[in-house]
Amino acid sequence: MISGSGHAAGERAVAGADLDGLAALVDRLDAVALLAIVFTLGRHGLTGAHDLDEVYAATKVAPRHRRIVRRWLRALLAQDLATVEDGRYRLRRPVTAAEVERARAELDTAARGLEHGAGLARFFQLSVSYLPELLRDEVSLQALLFADADLDVADDVYQRNVASRYANAAAADVVASLARPGLRVLEIGAGVGGTSAVVLPALAAHRPDYLFTDVSRFFLSSAKERFAAYDWVRYGLFDVNGDFAAQGHAPESFDVVLAANVLHNARHATEALAGLRKLIAPGGALVFVDTTVEHHQLMTSMQFLMSPPATDPDADFADFRRGTDRIFPSREEWLDSLQAAGFRAGCLPPPGHPLGRIGQYLFVGRV
């Protein structure tokens, strides 16, 4: 389904990285996150047996973030760090501030091994430090991630680390393989342009009609500056949960739809994919990168970006994730959804690859 050159391009992008050590590093990040979660709950007096409402009250969690607390409790149960009986949760043991500090010091080592960059390691440490304030919505994760309008840490998240380097290089290779005169590309949820920065150079010789979009104008002005050399790129808004026709996009108006770390935001995965398929002309493709694993580390950082708005705190997905508090479809669920939407589907890295432990995949659906 995906040409071997896509995987080869991804492998070249991570040449020299210690892929065999990835699992241990991911486990270390997750272990630090779990300790921080236990410490955060314990410092709010949750040392006995408490039901969910009592946990909400003690942490003063904002209603829109309550599902994060529920994810925390499920993770603690799965890792035998908590018990539940008659709907009342109990931590198995307290975690001290000293333990958390020692664990936070390990974040630098783990992040360097995953080639996240020093900025991202500091961001992880900062988000762990601000967990009570993040829960209460007194501090936003955006403020930590984009401090002083600096996009450098976001580039660590979406471009520089080993998993993103592989996925972006493979995506660029796949998109370039579809290039021809008059190529029309729609990139949705382009954000800081971490994937764009790799795909655009691969298409430069073809000068396609390339529409860079995001749901918010926040990123568009910085993207115009960052990609000014590519004068064939246009910029606009696009909402994956909106009516595509009402947003000005006719059926079969693109040859490639590209997305990175955004499609998990679709309220109904299969319906969104089916809508995107209608936008793609015969012979074209949907090319997207997404995370497929609910890592504990994400529960103490990036998932605060994914809570519903304060105006609709109980908003939920309408697909197989409804009522589960999950955000990310699994690899198999994405492949099944692509096929149900009418695509011929495949993904990278291949089964058994060390990068699979991180859980970030490139999916390709052909029309």
Side-chain angles (χ1 to χ4, degrees), residues 7 9 55 83 94 96 110 127 164 176 182 191-192 200 204 299 308 319 335 342 353 365:
H7 176 58
V55 176
T83 61
T96 66
S127 64
S164 293
V192 298
L200 292 178
M299 295 181 193
D319 56 18
L335 290 172
H353 194 278

Side-chain angles (χ1 to χ4, degrees), residues 86-98:
D86 297 328
R88 300 181 70 80
Y89 297 85
R90 183 189 297 272
L91 301 176
R92 282 200 175 275
R93 71 171 184 87
V95 169
T96 66

Side-chain angles (χ1 to χ4, degrees), residues 131-179:
L131 281 181
E133 292 83 1
L134 288 167
L135 284 175
R136 297 193 297 264
D137 247 357
E138 294 172 356
V139 171
S140 72
L141 195 79
Q142 290 94 328
L144 304 182
L145 185 60
F146 303 115
D148 301 319
D150 184 359
L151 303 182
D152 195 56
V153 174
D155 276 339
D156 281 346
V157 176
Y158 299 117
Q159 184 180 354
R160 298 190 186 115
N161 66 81
V162 64
S164 293
R165 292 210 314 273
Y166 174 94
N168 290 339
D173 182 87
V174 171
V175 174
S177 73
L178 298 168

